[in-house]
Amino acid sequence: MRRWSFIRLALGLVAVAVIPPLGLLVVLASCQPQPGRPWFWLSGGLTVLGAALGAVVVAWCYYRQVERQVDTLIDHCHALALGGSGTIRDWPLGLDQLSRLGMAIQVLREALVDYLSLYRRFFEAAPDMFLSLSPAGGRILDANQAFCQAVGRLKSEVLGQPVDRFVTLEQGWGAVLAGREGLHKGQIATDRGIMKIEANISLERGPEDQPWILGAILRDVTQQEELHRELIRKSTALEKALEEIKDVEELKDQFLTTLSHELKTPLVALKGFLQLLRQGQAQGEQAQEYLDICWRNLTKLERQINNLLDLARLSHAKEQFEMGPVELDTVVRTEAENLRPVAAEKQVRMELALPPHPVVVRGNAEKLVQLVDNLLMNAIKYNEEGGSVRVVLREEGGQVQLEVSDSGVGMAREQMAKIFNRFYRAEVSGSGRLEGLGIGLSLVQEIVRLHGGDIRVESQPGVGTTFTVTLEARS
Amino acid sequence: MNPMVNHPLVLVVEDDPDTAALYRTLLTAEGMEVACCGNGQQARQWWQAAARPPDLVVIDVRLPDISGLDLAREMSAPRDESSPAVIVLSAHGDPRMPQMSRQAGAAAFLDKLRDLDRLVETAWRLVRSRGVRA
């Protein structure tokens, strides 16, 4: 292009330089040219024509050069508009105004390129994933590094692809592309698993309000959601713990009430009858009767206090218990005999099924007596008038099983989960009197644990309950 | 003097047989006629069958089948001359109990153990004030 313009300029100069001298030569050749002679007019005419022709050629060449340089600048501006960043190659050289215009465009270009690269850096370095999408088909027009890394693809593999190949939205891309801007939840399948995302979608419109480009900022919320779930899990656990604390508090209140009642009640009878005896208001048989009442209540009190103290000692394991061979069948027989009056008072029948030979376990005699006593007492207490208590003792495969069944009120499943809780006392329907601190079964459990044994309970409401204690037989 | 005041009828509702026996002994020694019931249901049945309403009802707050306070509310209403005076007894030690008993219509609240000595005196005071009203 540049070479041709020089040739055209040279031809113009030749025309200007050659044609007027040619006319002058014709004039000189006609010797003494005089006005009015033909040679004179011919030579004059040729000179003017040559000059005019030369001027036209020069003007045309100049015009063409300006047109070319303007075209170059326009082409360059178009290239810039389309995102090109190359410099102007055919730089306007000779024409000062155009050269300055070109320089201004160049400066503008540099500034735009600077801005562009600045935003590009933000775009690429952002930790969030940026996408620009075509509003018609949802194809990816541009994507930053964060997005390419998340999907594990090169940018060239991502551009031009439909966005739903990589990103799934809960509401589907159809609704979003139809113009539902705003925050959407979704996910991206990555090499490391599913990434939960939050997509902020905005639709950019063109100058005539036509959908131009869809911008999507995707944020990884996997950790956030995990935290959220963890928070919910912990707050649920806390709520449960709070409920349990409330239950324990309630149980504690109930226990204090029970304790107060159970300890004070025998004391009331003791105090009252002792006072009568002290004041000499009873003689002979009546005095003996009062003394019997006092003794009974004293024993009751002693039993409650012992249970309470034993439970405290056993739970803190502060005491070492002497272990030795204990004949469990004898313990059962003796305790059943001791409790027979209590059972008789409630009209409860007691049946024993004991093996003919001694059943020996290794344990603490006193604690095993307490265990059997509490189990039998419970079976009588929660029984109905006219009911029965059956005690079975058997030895099998190096293990001893003690089974205590009652034909009492029985328990529902949720109640069974609580019976070993300290201070828990089962609700009893009917009008039976319920004594005790609610620590009997808790104590039984502690004693079984102390002996390395196991206790289980089976019950059916309205049918009865069976407690089975398994202990190691003495080898 | 009003014979009702001389031989007042007392209903004792107490589930512990020894405590009930003690109250019976203490009140009988004072010339009172005493009936004992072990729970709320028995007390109601006794009331239905009784020839005359009691002048005084002594109720343990902790009964096996019903709250002693509910029974006190039931027995003290309607509040006219025919309704007996009610003493509520408790071994609870709950500081709210005296107020709760009064709200339930009881004329007196006594701690079972601490106020044992005041039972007879309180019973007489309530019976007499009732006798005067009658």
Side-chain angles (χ1 to χ4, degrees), chain A residues 263-305:
Chain A
L263 297 184
K264 270 184 173 179
T265 301
L267 272 177
V268 171
L270 254 174
K271 187 181 174 185
F273 283 107
L274 275 177
Q275 213 160 24
L276 290 172
L277 286 166
R278 210 167 132 236
Q279 289 162 356
Q281 290 189 25
Q283 307 295 329
E285 264 185 38
Q286 201 178 31
Q288 187 57 46
E289 191 195 328
Y290 289 1
L291 274 175
D292 287 347
I293 295 177
C294 286
W295 186 253
R296 192 162 57 231
N297 282 282
L298 193 69
T299 318
K300 208 188 279 178
L301 205 56
E302 185 191 11
R303 184 198 185 96
Q304 305 285 29
I305 291 171

Side-chain angles (χ1 to χ4, degrees), chain A residues 257-258 260-261 264-265 267-269 271-273 275-276 290 293 296-297 300 425 430-433, chain B residues 15-19 21-23 25-26 39 60 62 64-65 91-93 111-114 116-117:
Chain A
T257 307
T258 309
S260 176
H261 185 267
K264 270 184 173 179
T265 301
L267 272 177
V268 171
K271 187 181 174 185
F273 283 107
Q275 213 160 24
L276 290 172
Y290 289 1
I293 295 177
R296 192 162 57 231
N297 282 282
K300 208 188 279 178
R425 297 162 94 243
S431 56
R433 172 172 154 70
Chain B
D15 63 333
D16 181 63
D18 291 342
T19 309
L22 176 69
Y23 296 159
T25 309
L26 292 174
N39 56 50
D60 177 15
R62 189 182 164 112
D65 60 340
H92 268 224
D111 183 275
K112 262 183 166 180
L113 190 63
R114 196 184 54 222
L116 185 61
D117 301 339

Side-chain angles (χ1 to χ4, degrees), chain B residues 97-112:
Chain B
M97 204 48 90
Q99 193 192 350
M100 285 159 74
S101 304
R102 272 195 300 277
Q103 282 170 352
F109 168 82
L110 299 176
D111 183 275
K112 262 183 166 180

Side-chain angles (χ1 to χ4, degrees), chain A residues 115-148:
Chain A
Y115 275 125
L116 196 64
S117 71
L118 181 71
Y119 284 109
R120 192 81 221 171
R121 280 205 299 277
F122 279 139
F123 183 76
E124 292 296 352
D128 285 340
M129 294 163 272
F130 288 167
L131 289 178
S132 56
L133 309 167
S134 63
R139 287 187 181 273
I140 299 174
L141 301 176
D142 202 354
N144 69 348
Q145 277 304 312
F147 180 78
C148 296

Side-chain angles (χ1 to χ4, degrees), chain A residues 40-149:
Chain A
F40 174 80
W41 292 110
L42 182 64
S43 63
L46 277 174
T47 304
V48 171
L49 186 67
L53 198 63
V56 166
V57 169
V58 168
W60 181 76
C61 288
Y62 187 77
Y63 168 75
R64 289 296 298 165
Q65 192 183 358
V66 170
E67 193 184 42
R68 273 193 317 276
Q69 292 189 357
V70 168
D71 281 348
T72 305
L73 287 176
I74 289 172
D75 285 349
H76 190 66
C77 289
H78 282 162
L80 274 182
L82 290 171
S85 57
T87 51
I88 301 173
R89 278 178 301 168
D90 292 332
W91 189 252
L93 289 172
L95 302 164
D96 191 43
Q97 292 296 323
L98 278 178
S99 180
R100 280 162 58 200
L101 179 63
M103 188 66 80
I105 290 172
Q106 186 73 359
V107 169
L108 191 65
R109 185 195 75 89
E110 297 293 338
L112 282 175
V113 166
D114 275 355
Y115 275 125
L116 196 64
S117 71
L118 181 71
Y119 284 109
R120 192 81 221 171
R121 280 205 299 277
F122 279 139
F123 183 76
E124 292 296 352
D128 285 340
M129 294 163 272
F130 288 167
L131 289 178
S132 56
L133 309 167
S134 63
R139 287 187 181 273
I140 299 174
L141 301 176
D142 202 354
N144 69 348
Q145 277 304 312
F147 180 78
C148 296
Q149 275 170 8

Side-chain angles (χ1 to χ4, degrees), chain A residues 451-466:
Chain A
H451 286 80
D454 176 55
I455 182 162
R456 30 173 233 281
V457 57
E458 284 162 44
S459 188
Q460 217 176 323
V463 177
T465 307
T466 301

